[in-house]
Amino acid sequence: MTLTEKKCVPCEGGVPAIEGAEIENYTCQLKSKWDVVDEKMLRRTFTFQDFKSAMTFANQVAAIAEEEGHHPDLHISWGKVVIELYTHAIGGLSENDFIVAAKVDAIKQ
Ligand SMILES: C[C@H](O)[C@H](O)[C@H]1CNC2=NC(N)=NC(=O)C2=N1
């Protein structure tokens, strides 16, 4: 089952974060290169022609987040959207973060 076929499961904490080599098992399933920050967060920057295009993309990301019940931190500026993904409940990475990242990568740009 690919990451884009999976659904996020509510994470209320109490589970270990994905760390070390297991992170690589997930990043290699992502279509594009997401930065892994301190083994605790995924980050990727998307660039656009203008602010309106950036906002349109951000709203597409928001729709995925709402559908999955798992939400990124978004930094939106003129021509740029920075997406940061981590699981707040465990202060680190879970499969949910990679599922949302894969679905973001599948957005037609
Ligand atoms: C109850 C609901 O599932 C949780 O509050 C969700 C909401 N979205 C979330 N998003 C992220 N990134 N991490 C979480 O731990 C999280 N928890």
Side-chain angles (χ1 to χ4, degrees):
M1 200 173 191
T2 63
L3 286 171
T4 52
E5 292 166 329
K6 292 186 174 182
K7 292 291 287 174
C8 291
V9 295
C11 174
E12 307 294 338
V15 293
I18 293 174
E19 292 177 326
E22 201 185 354
I23 291 177
E24 308 314 316
N25 288 347
Y26 279 101
T27 50
C28 69
Q29 297 176 56
L30 293 174
K31 189 170 80 174
S32 61
K33 180 163 175 5
W34 287 73
D35 294 329
V36 179
V37 181
D38 299 333
E39 289 208 343
K40 294 210 176 303
M41 181 172 70
L42 301 176
R43 178 185 291 142
R44 188 166 169 223
T45 298
F46 296 79
T47 55
F48 302 90
Q49 293 301 316
D50 51 32
F51 187 79
K52 189 173 179 205
S53 309
M55 270 312 295
T56 299
F57 175 73
N59 279 297
Q60 290 173 289
V61 173
I64 291 169
E66 283 297 289
E67 171 66 23
E68 296 298 328
H70 194 76
H71 304 83
D73 296 1
L74 296 178
H75 180 83
I76 304 164
S77 40
W78 191 97
K80 186 165 77 165
V81 175
V82 178
I83 302 183
E84 294 183 338
L85 276 163
Y86 71 99
T87 300
H88 306 156
I90 61 173
L93 289 170
S94 73
E95 187 175 63
N96 287 350
D97 300 302
F98 294 93
I99 291 169
V100 172
K103 293 186 177 188
V104 166
D105 280 345
I107 293 173
K108 299 272 171 291
Q109 287 186 46

